[in-house]
Each structure stands twice: as structure tokens, then as C-alpha cells.
Amino acid sequence: MDRLDQLESQSIYIFREAFNRIENIAMLWSLGKDSNVMIWLARKAFLGHVPFPVMHVDTERKFPEMYEFRDRYADEWGLNFIRELCPPLESTDDTLPPAARSAARKTEGLKLAIKKHGFNALFAGIRRDEEATRAKERVFSPRGLAGQWDFKDQPPEFWDQYKTDFPPGTHIRVHPLLHWTEIDIWLYTQREQIPTIPLYFSKDGLRYRSLGDKDITNPVKSLASNIPEIIEELRTTKVSERSGRAMDHESEDAFERLRADGYL
Amino acid sequence: MTDATLLATADTPDAIANLRDLMRIVIVGHVDHGKSTLVGRLFHDTGSLPDGRYEAIKAQSDKRGVTFEWAFLMDALQAERDQGITIDTSQIWFKTEERDYTIIDAPGHKEFLKNMITGAAQSDAALLIIDAHEGVQEQSKRHGYLLHLMGIRQIAVAVNKMDLAGYDQKKFDAIETEYRAYLKSIGVTPTFIIPVSAREGDNIVTPSKAMSWYKGPTVVKALDSFVSGTPTTESPLRLPVQDVYKFDQRRIIAGRIDSGRIAVGDQIIFSPSNKSARVKTIEYWSTIPGAKQPTESEAGYSVGITLDEQIFVERGEIASHIDTAPVETDVFRARIFWLGHEPMTVGKAYKLKLGTLEAQVTVQSIERIIDTSDLSSTGIQQVERNQVAEIVLRARRMLALDSFVDYPATGRFVLVEKFDIAGGGIISMEGYADQRDAITARGTNITRAAHTITNEARAFRNGHKGGVLWFTGLSGAGKSTLAMALEKRLFDKGFNVYVLDGDNVRHGLNANLSFSPEDRAENIRRVGEVAALFERAGTLAITAFISPYRSDRDRAREAAGDGFHEIYVKADVATCESRDPKGLYAKARSGEIKDFTGISAPYEAPESPHLVIDTATTSLDDCLDELVRYVEAKFKV
Ligand SMILES: Nc1nc2c(ncn2[C@@H]2O[C@H](COP(=O)(O)OP(=O)(O)OP(=O)(O)O)[C@@H](O)[C@H]2O)c(=O)[nH]1
Ligand SMILES: [Mg+2]
């Protein structure tokens, strides 16, 4: 059993636990490399099926390549696909810095969608190695009614025993990819032949390492034009994955505030 | 439509062919001893910090008016930075020539022990930090103890802040001696004990100039010297059922293999339902070019299997091979750590989660509370938050499980109180029997033949109903004496009565049984069945067996039905020991007899006996009078 097999098996276990213990669960699909791997792992867990809705909370500011990808594969993979729109920017907290405000829009959209469909839980493809507050996440992460994260008092989680008993009104985020790293995602994408949006590959010396909204996501300098080259690059790079995501860098606590409020 | 996607090239690149090993290391120890600082420094000195991070930490430190705080790499929350304390566990990745690492930084403050356990339980090995200046503290020991309890066997120790101790070898030696002795007392040998200064970078990655007296490895070298975990593929099969899927025409049993191997064609048994079938297929879904349906799988893999027969199995059962099946029991002993806000007390009920199984359990007894600082124990009947204790748990139904030493994954559990995980523990079946044989009916195609004589007709002829007077109590409590005297009195009054006594049945019916926990259970099972036959024949059977386990007596009760009367022949250990008619207590005390009830094995007193006969305070004649009155009231027609 190699490292990818181990990661995969753990993710499958998480998927199966959540599907068994929680009713009314859906998966968030951000169209990026991580959530595509997440869909793959769900199909592994359920032997070819994705037995819950797959939802894209759309800011309508993604790259055209991302929309093309979505429309093609929602169909080709036979997903029970749901698209929900985010509310206008004006409905968000105006004390936030601009990029964070844009991210807060997505949080709002997420809350509305959860309410509309009555989802008790969502699968989200975040990883611990992406960002320091995500590094403190639980696999089953309970949220308040308004989506808030009580990061100062998280439940204990050990021996693959997740928190599966909740008072009514709790919402749960389930994180099947929490233990993966960026390199693992690419190694697995390569091994499993998972389709990928070409924005991740170098064009004119630039590529995207992380895909978000057009206006607040920047490419990094890179010559990596295929997956093996990306893996090589990641082995030596000292640039962090989310360096191109403006909202992380506006102030020391910008991301913590976003996440406490329900951002992914 | 333009082709929006790129597919990977089909040939396997080196990166996949040569996947690197990953090891997870937890950093533990008392609050403020420098765990997070060490991680920060380790990252910096191995060149693993991302661009701009050093400058960011500098700015975060300046903003708070502190000197450069390496701990801010891990302590990401504002509250953590403002208060200079780790609240929740965090993870970060780095690599050496040897392998890749996940470093898990755990909090040291007692208040956050649940978060420390969350981090530590995920690790393969541990680095425990002790402040040279403050020396060994409460959590230094508790963390060491808990690591061992959770089964983490590789531990290195770093004695930190040697800069504050003047890099003095004597100070280091004193701490090393003290802590090594403690670890030894709990059965742990540390791989290395390393003097370091996390803040100054001594012996983290580069050997310390200030401590040239130290000849051992640096922290990084010590990590590299840990050995990767051995897979559990060679142990017997354990496959807990996680779910059963019916998405299409296949009925797939899903679960992760905790140990052993499984292959198509294997005959497997599901415990505790004890249903058995053959593995028909191992299902899979893959897009890897050339992938084939597997015919076998092994520990670590999450699988889906189909069976050759449509048997009903459900989540929580454990699949195994037949001759290496898990233990079946409704009672077990456990060593636990308690995280609940409310103390654990005897009689409280919790939800047990063991693998994929969930069941209601009650705390039958709290044997001892273990003080992790000196391993002394007290008999206090209450487990407070953050304490470690040995307890006995009882379930209302049969459970399938294992002893932790044999099968870690199916030998550990958590307890849920209301909505929260409030504790975790490991199982020991010491002194308790595997009840599998007692509940397994081997024969099939058995139907009961009907008698033409009714129970009423028998009772009318005899003048009394048949029944079982089940005496239970410690050795020396007076069961046999009372039983024989009662038999005589009842016989004289015209009762059909017969005593089944321990030593007597062991000469014949049970001559092939030893005194192992399983054979003791079988001994009682047979006596229970024979007593039930006496009852049905219209006779009064009096049994005189210690029968210390509730589960065994419950089965006898089930066999006999309404005519079963549990009679608790009560006398405390001290009284029985002072009588010691067969000299057994003396032998048990000297260790000559092992697993002696009341001394070195448990006695589970009845919860609601029909009658209590207190032989410590009542004379033999008075006891007999009471028994005769009871029998006449209950059995005469
Ligand atoms: N002089 C000196 N100070 C140190 C050293 N290592 C850590 N410190 C200081 O000790 C304090 C506590 O360090 P942390 O790394 O936060 O301790 P910790 O063990 O992670 O604490 P918790 O996670 O809250 O339990 C900080 O102020 C550090 O700067 C050292 O080697 N020498
Ligand atoms: Mg810390």
C-alpha cells in the first residue's frame, strides 16, 4: 500500500462515515483540482456512484475555462448537479477589505444555498497544508446555524471517530481531503487520469496554482506545462500555494475572520 | 466547444513510481516548554519556510512587542498569538533526505488536553519536549503516559531551553535521569534524549557548539531514525462493516480492512450476528488504464465486497475468518482517559463507539484512578476530566471486539455523552470470558419435541412447582453449606429437591473443563441448562456456584425462565477470607492460585436478586428459616 493508496483509503472511509451518519448531505464543487479529486474519491467510495447532489455556488466571476469544464463534466460524470448564485456585493460587510469582501459574498451564497436545500452537511475539499487556520480543522467540523466556526473549542477527534451526534440546528462541514497535500493532489490526478482545467498549466511563463474569482486570483511565474513538471516544481518551490489569492494577504487576521464567519 | 481539459499523459512519471514515505510526528509536552518554537525553528533551519514567512513572523512579533516568536508559524489564530499559547493542534509538512513528514504540533495546556489527544492519536511517533529550566512537569508525564496508552511506541525526548540552563550538562543529566526513570516505569524506552535550544537552534538541525559534550543525534536525525510502522497484514482479518450499499443490482458490504487479508472465495463470519458466507467479489471502480478487478485485498484498504449468499448483516458487525473471530462479550475491562465536563460515575450510561459499532453501555465499576505523575492509584468512584482510570463497562447486548494488545483498531473505543465524545479507552479482556461459544448454537435443523404432560400436572402431583434456586456469592460465603442444609429441610417437608454443587459437577458433566475464563463460562452454562431441565421435570434445583459474572447468570436465567430465582449469598471478602474453609484465599494471596474471585478476578454482585441472604450478620439457622419460608411462599401449590 503506497502513500496515495493510504490517502485514498482514508478519504473513502470519511465519505462512507458521513454518508451513513448524516442525512441530507451535498458536495461542494469549486471546479478546481481539489474538488475534482474529491469527486473521484466519492466515486471510488460508492463504487462508481455519487449518491448526493454536487453543488457549485457561483460567484459568476470565474474564468470561462472553468465554466466550460463544469458544463462538460457535470454531464459526462452523471452528477446530480445544482448551481446556486451568490447575492450582490452590497449585501456583505463593508468594513472588510475588498478581496475579503468578495470572498464574503461566496460565504453568503453558501448560507443561502444551504438554507434553500435544507442540507445538514456539506463535503468541502479543503486541505490542512493550504493555510494555517485550515491546518487546525477537524474532518467533521460542526458549524453554528449561521455557518460560524468555533475554532477555539473544537470537538476531540481521534481513532477515526468523528463527531456524528449533534443538537438540532447544527450544520456540519465534512473534509475528506484534509490530510492531502498539494503534491498529493497532483500525483493522484496523474495516476487516476483525472481531467484538469488548463489554467493550471504554464502559458507565457505563468500558471495558476489555485483557482478563484478572476478579479482576485493571480497567476504565479512557472514553466510547468504538464503534471509531472508541476510535481517537480512543487518539490522545490518556496512560494506558497495561496500566494496568488489576494484575500489571504490583506491583513494578518483576514482569513481567520472569513473562516470564523463560514468561509471554507 | 474547445477542449477545455487536458488529460495527463498515460506513462507513469518517476514521481508516481517512487512515492516518498510519509511519517507523522506529534510534538507534545508541558505548556510553554517550547513545542511550537521548536517546529518553527526546525522549518527555518531545514530551509522549509515558504518565501516571505520569516518576514511575516517578524512583523507579527513586532506588532505584539515581543522578540521574534518562532511559535507564530504554527500558532496561527489571533488568540494564540496574543496570548502566546497553542489552543488547538495544527499540522505542517516537511521533508528530509530520508522521507516526508507531517509534523503535528499539540497544545501543552491542561485545558486543551482533548486537542492534544486529537493530534497525538494521528501520529506514528512522538517528540516530547521538556523545559530544562522548569524540569519535568505534570503534563510532561501525563503526555508520556497517554502516548503509551494510545499505542505510540517510538518516543524521543528533547530537553529544551538549554540556553536558559547555561548549556549545563549537569542540569541536562538530572532531567534525563528523572524522565528516563518515569518512562521506564510505564514501559517506554525513549530512542534519544537530546539537549536543545529551540530558540537558538542548538541541536535542532545543526549540532550545538555550546554543547559539545553531547554526542548524540540532532532532532532531525532522531526523527529520521524512527522506523516506519509495520503493516498489520499478517494479523488475522478484521473488517468492520461500515455500510451496505444497494445502488444497483449489487448488494455491497463496505468497510475498511483493519488487519489481515481477504480473498474471493474466503468463508467469512460476521460477529456478533455469527452469520457466515463466502466472498463472491471484491468490487472496485477505477479509471486507471488497465486496472483490473481485484481478487484479494489487505489491511489499510477501503473495500466493497459481495457475498455468495444473501445474509442480513449491518453496520457495526466485524467480518473475520471463522477460526480467528473476535471476542463476543457484553462486559469488558478498559483503561480510559476522560475528557467529559461531567465526571464519570458508576451506573452512568454512555454511547460506545467502537470502529463502526454503536451501543449503549453502563459503567459497572470504577476499579482505580491512576495518577499519571507517580502511577499511584486510588479507589475513588469518580473519574474527573483529564484523569486516567481502569473501569468495567457493560452493554445491554452482545458486542464483537478485541483486546487492544492483539488488535489495536478493534480494541479501542470512544464514549459519547449527550452530543460529545467525552473519553477514549483501550480494551483488556483479562479475567473476562469470550462468550462466543456460549451463545453459538452449533446444530441446525433442531425442533423441540412436545411433551404430553403439562407443568401444571407435574406440580399437582408433586405439591410444588419446579424451579431453580440460583445461589451466587464469594467463595466461603456459605453457598454449599446453605444449599445442602436447605436440601435436607425441603426434602423433609416433601419437596423433590436436588443440589448441583461446583465440585460435584466438575467430576462428571464438566470434567473436561479447565479454569480459564472461557471454560468457567461454559461450566456455568451447562449447570444453567441442567438446572433448567430439573425445573421442567418438576424438581427444585439448588445451584451453589460462585458464578461471578452477570452475563453467565443472565444466560442461566434465560434457560430456566420464570422459575429462576437468584439468591445472593452475601458476605464481604474480609469475612470470607477469615473463614477460608478450603485455604483458597491464602493460596490466592500468595499468588499460587491465579484469577481468584474477589482477590484477583472480579465478582459482579447481582443488581436485583430475588433474595439476599447475609451470612456475615445472620446465623445459619436464621438464614435457613428465611430460605424455607421463601421457597414455600413461591413454589408450593
Ligand atoms: N530562551 C528560550 N526560550 C524558548 C526556547 N524555546 C521556546 N522558548 C520560549 O518559550 C515560550 C513558549 O514557547 P512555545 O513554543 O509557545 O511553547 P509551547 O510548548 O508550544 O506552548 P503550548 O503550545 O502553549 O503548550 C516562548 O516565549 C518561546 O519564545 C528556548 O530554546 N530558549
Ligand atoms: Mg505551542
Side-chain angles (χ1 to χ4, degrees):
Chain A
M1 181 171 223
D2 65 32
R3 173 174 170 165
L4 291 180
D5 295 334
Q6 284 165 11
L7 294 168
E8 176 188 76
S9 180
Q10 182 70 20
S11 300
I12 292 176
Y13 191 82
I14 295 165
F15 264 118
R16 289 174 171 177
E17 280 302 283
F19 182 63
N20 182 282
R21 300 324 287 159
I22 306 173
E23 254 165 54
N24 248 340
I25 189 163
M27 188 197 290
L28 285 175
W29 188 23
S30 69
L31 319 174
K33 60 187 190 299
D34 303 307
S35 53
N36 294 338
V37 164
M38 186 160 65
I39 289 179
W40 230 250
L41 291 164
R43 295 168 88 184
K44 294 255 182 190
F46 306 109
L47 292 312
H49 303 264
V50 182
F52 33 71
V54 174
M55 181 166 75
H56 179 219
V57 180
D58 195 354
T59 56
E60 297 173 282
R61 295 182 188 200
K62 302 286 172 195
F63 297 88
E65 291 89 336
M66 296 172 78
Y67 290 114
E68 259 178 68
F69 185 91
R70 180 189 73 190
D71 297 341
R72 172 170 172 191
Y73 286 104
D75 189 46
E76 218 168 272
W77 294 339
L79 303 177
N80 172 4
F81 177 70
I82 300 176
R83 172 181 173 240
E84 290 299 338
L85 294 180
C86 295
L89 194 67
E90 292 68 56
S91 66
T92 57
D93 179 358
D94 60 6
T95 68
L96 285 168
R101 207 170 161 198
S102 194
R105 229 191 110 214
K106 192 165 152 194
T107 309
E108 274 315 305
L110 195 58
K111 286 180 198 168
L112 292 173
I114 291 169
K115 215 168 151 198
K116 175 172 161 193
H117 295 280
F119 293 134
N120 292 323
L122 289 175
F123 290 109
I126 62 164
R127 291 181 279 109
R128 288 200 176 103
D129 77 324
E130 284 176 290
E131 193 277 328
T133 62
R134 285 182 178 167
K136 291 183 179 280
E137 267 287 3
R138 297 290 188 265
V139 176
F140 278 50
S141 181
R143 305 295 163 126
L145 267 183
Q148 335 81 288
W149 180 40
D150 184 4
F151 52 78
K152 285 184 206 155
D153 188 18
Q154 298 198 78
E157 185 172 83
F158 51 96
W159 297 338
D160 294 328
Q161 293 295 355
Y162 306 114
K163 183 171 168 73
T164 51
D165 299 272
F166 307 97
T170 315
H171 178 78
I172 307 119
R173 295 270 176 82
V174 180
H175 301 131
L177 295 182
L178 207 53
H179 55 297
W180 292 59
T181 65
E182 189 184 4
I183 290 197
D184 296 326
I185 292 290
W186 284 117
L187 286 167
Y188 193 73
T189 302
Q190 171 79 21
R191 186 180 92 172
E192 302 286 324
Q193 307 276 302
I194 304 172
T196 309
I197 296 179
L199 293 168
Y200 287 112
F201 302 115
S202 174
K203 211 173 128 195
D204 306 329
L206 293 173
R207 74 176 194 91
Y208 289 89
R209 271 179 75 180
S210 170
L211 289 176
D213 284 2
K214 256 188 318 210
D215 49 339
I216 53 169
T217 310
N218 300 307
V220 295
K221 280 205 190 96
S222 166
L223 294 174
S225 59
N226 57 37
I227 298 179
E229 284 171 17
I230 289 180
I231 292 164
E232 257 341 284
E233 174 189 287
L234 294 179
R235 288 247 152 96
T236 51
T237 187
K238 293 190 126 200
V239 178
S240 64
E241 183 178 1
R242 292 181 61 88
S243 64
R245 302 289 285 264
M247 62 180 129
D248 294 27
H249 312 292
E250 285 168 329
S251 70
E252 186 189 324
D253 63 348
F255 206 66
E256 176 177 326
R257 280 175 60 197
L258 279 172
R259 298 209 73 235
D261 206 38
Y263 188 76
L264 291 176
Chain B
M1 186 175 128
T2 61
D3 192 357
T5 66
L6 289 184
L7 287 170
T9 48
D11 48 301
T12 313
D14 292 354
I16 295 189
N18 310 310
L19 287 174
R20 290 169 60 86
D21 274 350
L22 178 69
M23 184 178 262
R24 294 160 304 176
I25 308 283
V26 68
I27 317 288
V28 296
H30 199 76
V31 63
D32 260 355
H33 281 195
K35 298 176 288 297
S36 306
T37 305
L38 186 139
V39 179
R41 187 76 211 204
L42 183 69
F43 267 66
H44 175 263
D45 292 6
T46 50
S48 314
L49 283 184
D51 286 348
R53 188 60 65 84
Y54 185 89
E55 293 71 20
I57 294 174
K58 178 99 185 41
Q60 290 150 9
S61 306
D62 289 348
K63 184 173 130 190
R64 290 175 175 81
V66 293
T67 47
F68 191 89
E69 244 342 327
W70 291 103
F72 287 178
L73 175 69
M74 300 306 276
D75 293 342
L77 303 175
Q78 294 300 302
E80 292 179 319
R81 287 179 186 163
D82 292 345
Q83 294 164 31
I85 192 170
T86 304
I87 295 173
D88 210 332
T89 182
S90 183
Q91 301 191 4
I92 196 164
W93 280 256
F94 98 111
K95 54 179 187 286
T96 66
E97 294 276 296
E98 185 69 22
R99 55 166 93 91
D100 291 356
Y101 289 99
T102 307
I103 300 290
I104 305 170
D105 185 33
H109 196 285
K110 189 175 174 176
E111 186 60 31
F112 308 126
L113 192 74
K114 69 174 165 59
N115 298 337
M116 174 271 174
I117 285 172
T118 299
Q122 301 176 47
S123 66
D124 304 305
L127 179 67
L128 190 139
I129 315 289
I130 300 172
D131 183 330
H133 201 60
E134 269 187 38
V136 177
Q137 296 289 313
E138 189 189 0
Q139 306 306 315
S140 319
K141 290 181 170 175
R142 180 174 281 134
H143 288 188
Y145 188 94
L146 288 171
L147 288 174
H148 185 64
L149 187 152
M150 289 190 276
I152 296 156
R153 292 290 173 262
Q154 299 188 76
I155 302 176
V157 178
V159 177
N160 186 32
K161 305 196 192 179
M162 284 302 291
D163 54 311
L164 295 184
Y167 295 112
D168 182 358
Q169 180 172 8
K170 278 200 218 75
K171 286 207 174 126
F172 170 77
D173 287 348
I175 291 174
E176 152 153 31
T177 309
E178 179 186 357
Y179 200 65
R180 203 180 271 282
Y182 176 74
L183 288 180
K184 189 163 182 234
S185 71
I186 58 172
V188 173
T189 312
T191 58
F192 296 103
I193 300 190
I194 314 162
V196 307
S197 167
R199 180 183 278 177
E200 306 304 327
D202 293 85
N203 284 337
I204 304 299
V205 176
T206 10
S208 166
K209 289 206 182 70
M211 293 181 282
S212 52
W213 46 265
Y214 173 74
K215 304 293 180 226
T218 59
V219 167
V220 174
K221 285 276 176 324
L223 298 186
D224 279 346
S225 75
F226 285 135
V227 285
S228 298
T230 43
T232 47
T233 42
E234 299 313 317
S235 311
L237 173 68
R238 291 290 180 270
L239 169 54
V241 176
Q242 205 175 357
D243 213 334
V244 180
Y245 299 134
K246 191 98 189 44
F247 298 123
D248 41 46
Q249 71 294 345
R250 299 170 295 177
R251 188 160 174 279
I252 298 171
I253 295 168
R256 185 176 55 193
I257 306 174
D258 283 332
S259 64
R261 304 168 196 279
I262 193 167
V264 170
D266 283 4
Q267 184 79 32
I268 54 172
I269 185 166
F270 294 85
S271 304
S273 76
N274 294 338
K275 290 180 186 142
S276 177
R278 250 175 228 291
V279 180
K280 190 165 120 197
T281 60
I282 298 174
E283 295 298 318
Y284 88 124
W285 178 85
S286 176
T287 48
I288 304 178
K292 279 205 276 306
Q293 176 143 3
T295 54
E296 54 181 34
S297 191
E298 60 183 35
Y301 286 92
S302 288
V303 294
I305 59 170
T306 64
L307 302 174
D308 69 339
E309 269 181 77
Q310 295 295 333
I311 55 173
F312 177 77
V313 291
E314 46 183 350
R315 178 179 161 94
E317 300 208 53
I318 299 177
S320 69
H321 291 112
I322 292 176
D323 47 3
T324 48
V327 172
E328 286 179 355
T329 184
D330 56 1
V331 58
F332 61 89
R333 192 192 293 278
R335 185 171 296 182
I336 59 148
F337 46 84
W338 191 241
L339 306 171
H341 289 279
E342 301 286 319
M344 166 187 274
T345 51
V346 172
K348 264 201 187 175
Y350 300 100
K351 178 156 91 180
L352 169 98
K353 297 213 303 180
L354 190 159
T356 59
L357 168 133
E358 292 190 359
Q360 282 296 121
V361 292
T362 349
V363 181
Q364 173 166 305
S365 61
I366 294 173
E367 314 265 273
R368 61 191 194 109
I369 310 280
I370 301 160
D371 183 335
T372 53
S373 56
D374 57 8
L375 304 186
S376 65
S377 60
T378 53
I380 297 168
Q381 292 289 295
Q382 174 149 317
V383 192
E384 305 284 348
R385 184 174 162 83
N386 295 343
Q387 276 183 337
V388 174
E390 276 177 15
I391 61 170
V392 176
L393 290 174
R394 171 170 296 275
R396 279 191 222 128
R397 62 176 176 96
M398 206 52 75
L399 310 174
L401 46 77
D402 287 297
S403 281
F404 180 77
V405 287
D406 304 325
Y407 301 87
T410 43
R412 64 193 179 198
F413 61 88
V414 301
L415 295 174
V416 177
E417 180 166 35
K418 290 199 193 94
F419 301 110
D420 300 313
I421 291 181
I426 60 171
I427 295 171
S428 156
M429 284 303 292
E430 215 183 298
Y432 283 93
D434 184 349
Q435 299 174 45
R436 172 180 297 275
D437 281 347
I439 58 168
T440 309
R442 288 259 155 60
T444 47
N445 300 325
I446 297 172
T447 39
R448 277 184 192 273
H451 288 273
T452 53
I453 304 162
T454 63
N455 290 343
E456 289 70 31
R458 289 184 207 272
F460 183 74
R461 155 123 26 122
N462 293 337
H464 65 86
K465 291 184 277 191
V468 177
L469 296 172
W470 190 279
F471 286 17
T472 172
L474 293 171
S475 173
K479 295 179 301 299
S480 295
T481 315
L482 275 175
M484 294 304 180
L486 180 63
E487 182 185 39
K488 176 87 175 69
R489 287 250 209 130
L490 291 175
F491 182 81
D492 291 347
K493 283 178 175 283
F495 278 82
N496 287 325
V497 54
Y498 189 73
V499 171
L500 295 169
D501 183 76
D503 287 347
N504 297 358
V505 295
R506 278 197 177 264
H507 279 120
L509 178 66
N510 292 347
N512 63 336
L513 298 179
S514 73
F515 285 87
S516 73
E518 282 73 22
D519 277 2
R520 285 180 165 199
E522 175 62 10
N523 184 42
I524 298 302
R525 187 190 73 81
R526 290 184 194 173
V527 171
E529 293 290 342
V530 170
L533 291 175
F534 272 86
E535 174 189 342
R536 268 177 242 139
T539 301
L540 261 185
I542 304 173
T543 68
F545 295 81
I546 300 174
S547 48
Y549 297 106
R550 254 177 230 161
S551 329
D552 293 341
R553 299 195 301 265
D554 286 349
R555 255 194 306 279
R557 182 195 325 272
E558 245 172 66
D562 290 346
F564 184 91
H565 291 246
E566 187 173 38
I567 300 184
Y568 181 20
V569 181
K570 194 174 161 192
D572 54 28
V573 179
T575 310
C576 296
E577 195 165 2
S578 68
R579 295 176 183 158
D580 204 8
K582 303 181 199 161
L584 296 175
Y585 282 90
K587 284 187 186 163
R589 286 287 180 204
S590 73
E592 196 181 318
I593 307 181
K594 280 196 350 201
D595 297 334
F596 190 76
T597 302
I599 304 291
S600 44
Y603 176 74
E604 299 171 359
E607 266 174 332
S608 42
H610 294 77
L611 187 65
V612 180
I613 298 292
D614 192 338
T615 66
T617 55
T618 322
S619 73
L620 179 66
D621 273 338
D622 290 349
C623 292
L624 277 173
D625 289 346
E626 194 175 350
L627 280 163
V628 171
R629 271 197 304 276
Y630 182 81
V631 171
E632 292 193 311
K634 297 286 177 190
F635 294 93
K636 256 196 128 101
V637 288

